[in-house]
Amino acid sequence: MTTRYLILEDGTSYKGKGFGAEATTTGEIIVNSNMLGYQEVITNQIYHNQIIVFTQPSIGNTGINHKSFEAIVTNTKGVVVKEYSNVSTNRLGNLNLDLFLKQHNIPGIAGIDTRELTRRLNKKPTMKASIVDIDDEHAFDQLHATVLTNQQVKQVSTTSPFPNTGDGNNIVLIDFGLKYGILRKLADLDCNVIVMPWDTSSKAIFDLDPDGVVLSTGPGSPLDLPSSVLDMIKDVQKEIPMFSMGLGHELFALANGANVYKLDGEHHGSNHPIRQIITNQIIYASQSEGYAVDPKSIIHDQLLITYVDLVNGTVQGIRHRDYPAFSVQFSPDGGPGPQDSADTFEEFLENVSSQRR
């Protein structure tokens, strides 16, 4: 492996060994604390334009397998690890991580003190970073000059509808950066799913005569999407049961009069403790959270808070008081992560059945 450098917007430089693609890359740098599931993380569309720092010390020792993709095309900008293992011990691992990253033109860098890097990133607001061959003044100038797009959803969403067939309820899924784990959960429940682009109108949804509508996860800020998306949510929630998650949750909150703010530090990881208010039960869930709903802005005549984060107190779930519509900030499909919250899909389908009756 050749010598490469990870440089940060604050002027810090880390020396390491390159693997994966030899490309130079720039992106927003974030920390992911998952102990398992690096393939699911790297292929998750939430990480569009981001360089992922894994706190798990050794990455690569389970290879790549066809059952663990969260998207076929990955838009992650880079991977930072303490130790890279090129040995696949998984019987399904037909491809190692190094070759997978090369195929998708994603550079990786190993030999980085990820503990120190994580502490640094936790103390500062979101920063840009680059993986480069030489950490000279020109490299830092290029890093500072790079402007990252705020059109992530448009770049990762499907451009045309496609089906994921089943014999059960007819579900329209709006793709803001779809995780395939959502499709897998709906398939397990025998739903007939039609995946639609992010800018689908309420009329186009009504024309499909769905039993329910799902708003997917996705990258970036909900504030960067046009008001037409909020108008669609306002129209649809009155007529059709709706379930939203991640970015969809934030958009659902905005459509119902709440505000959303950017967290001082993003949280990406699994086994995060969350309290369900109505039962006082503690569940553990997977999160990829950069924004949160402001609880002070919630109009309580319209929305009810259903889940709260036990670490930072953020709103993790809301439900509409008048319509069969609810949302969660976390990832109920796991992928990777615990399955404690998978019953939210069944709760959604109970709303669908009640509406049909």
Side-chain angles (χ1 to χ4, degrees):
M1 294 190 289
T2 59
T3 298
R4 303 206 75 189
Y5 296 88
L6 172 71
I7 61 174
L8 307 184
E9 199 172 7
D10 66 357
T12 307
S13 175
Y14 295 86
K15 183 179 179 180
K17 295 294 184 180
F19 66 98
E22 297 180 358
T24 295
T25 191
T26 299
E28 178 185 10
I29 188 166
I30 59 95
V31 175
N32 187 288
S33 60
N34 279 310
M35 295 300 290
L36 299 169
Y38 60 81
Q39 179 181 344
E40 291 95 324
V41 172
I42 293 170
T43 57
N44 190 338
Q45 299 284 28
I46 288 173
Y47 297 105
H48 177 273
N49 264 6
Q50 292 184 326
I51 296 173
I52 305 169
V53 179
F54 284 99
T55 59
Q56 165 67 7
S58 182
I59 297 293
N61 55 8
T62 57
I64 300 293
N65 75 80
H66 67 278
K67 293 184 177 181
S68 298
F69 285 102
E70 291 298 335
I72 295 300
V73 178
T74 177
N75 291 283
T76 299
K77 281 299 189 76
V79 174
V80 180
V81 301
K82 170 64 177 175
E83 176 185 295
Y84 166 65
S85 173
N86 200 29
V87 178
S88 173
T89 59
N90 186 335
R91 65 182 179 83
L92 298 175
N94 299 316
L95 184 70
N96 64 47
L97 179 59
D98 178 64
L99 183 55
F100 173 77
L101 294 180
K102 283 184 168 71
Q103 289 176 350
H104 292 271
N105 198 36
I106 300 171
I109 185 168
I112 304 298
D113 185 347
T114 52
R115 291 179 300 176
E116 190 279 331
L117 175 57
T118 297
R119 287 195 294 269
R120 177 180 295 275
L121 295 175
N122 286 341
K123 292 177 182 178
K124 295 179 178 291
T126 303
M127 285 195 291
K128 291 184 295 184
S130 294
I131 297 175
V132 297
D133 293 325
I134 303 175
D135 62 340
D136 57 10
E137 184 177 344
H138 175 70
F140 280 99
D141 288 343
Q142 289 290 101
L143 170 60
H144 291 128
T146 300
V147 178
L148 300 177
T149 180
N150 64 355
Q151 300 297 308
Q152 293 103 314
V153 170
K154 183 177 181 179
Q155 293 185 7
V156 302
S157 175
T158 183
T159 56
S160 58
F162 67 90
N164 193 53
T165 56
D167 295 324
N169 292 295
N170 186 35
I171 305 299
V172 166
L173 196 162
I174 307 300
D175 177 10
F176 295 109
L178 174 63
K179 285 177 86 243
Y180 286 177
I182 300 172
L183 283 181
R184 286 191 284 267
K185 287 297 181 185
L186 292 172
D188 289 344
L189 296 167
D190 203 26
C191 293
N192 181 66
V193 181
I194 303 172
V195 180
M196 300 292 286
W198 70 273
D199 55 352
T200 300
S201 67
S202 56
K203 181 182 183 304
I205 294 173
F206 292 141
D207 287 346
L208 293 170
D209 192 26
D211 298 311
V213 173
V214 173
L215 306 183
S216 84
T217 56
S221 169
L223 303 174
D224 290 331
L225 295 180
S227 60
S228 58
V229 175
L230 305 185
D231 293 337
M232 177 273 290
I233 296 172
K234 292 175 185 177
D235 291 341
V236 171
Q237 69 180 3
K238 298 175 185 177
E239 307 294 335
I240 305 170
M242 178 178 286
F243 176 29
S244 310
M245 58 200 82
L247 179 62
H249 158 81
E250 296 154 12
L251 293 167
F252 176 67
L254 288 171
N256 286 285
N259 296 325
V260 171
Y261 65 95
K262 185 169 178 58
L263 296 173
D264 291 336
E266 296 192 11
H267 181 265
H268 301 270
S270 299
N271 298 326
H272 207 67
I274 294 167
R275 182 169 68 90
Q276 185 178 28
I277 292 177
I278 192 171
T279 64
N280 211 33
Q281 178 185 5
I282 307 303
I283 66 170
Y284 292 86
S286 177
Q287 278 190 348
S288 296
E289 181 181 21
Y291 293 81
V293 177
D294 182 359
K296 297 178 181 179
S297 69
I298 290 177
I299 303 172
H300 292 283
D301 289 343
Q302 296 183 23
L303 298 177
L304 176 71
I305 299 175
T306 55
Y307 292 92
V308 176
D309 190 305
L310 291 181
V311 175
N312 57 20
T314 55
V315 175
Q316 290 292 307
I318 54 178
R319 176 183 295 277
H320 205 288
R321 291 183 180 271
D322 299 323
Y323 310 128
F326 70 99
S327 66
V328 294
Q329 178 72 70
F330 48 87
S331 299
D333 60 292
Q339 301 293 311
D340 293 19
S341 55
D343 59 356
T344 52
F345 287 93
E346 296 174 2
E347 182 182 354
F348 165 60
L349 293 183
E350 288 174 4
N351 285 346
V352 169
S353 297
S354 297
Q355 184 83 344
R356 290 177 67 181
R357 287 196 297 269

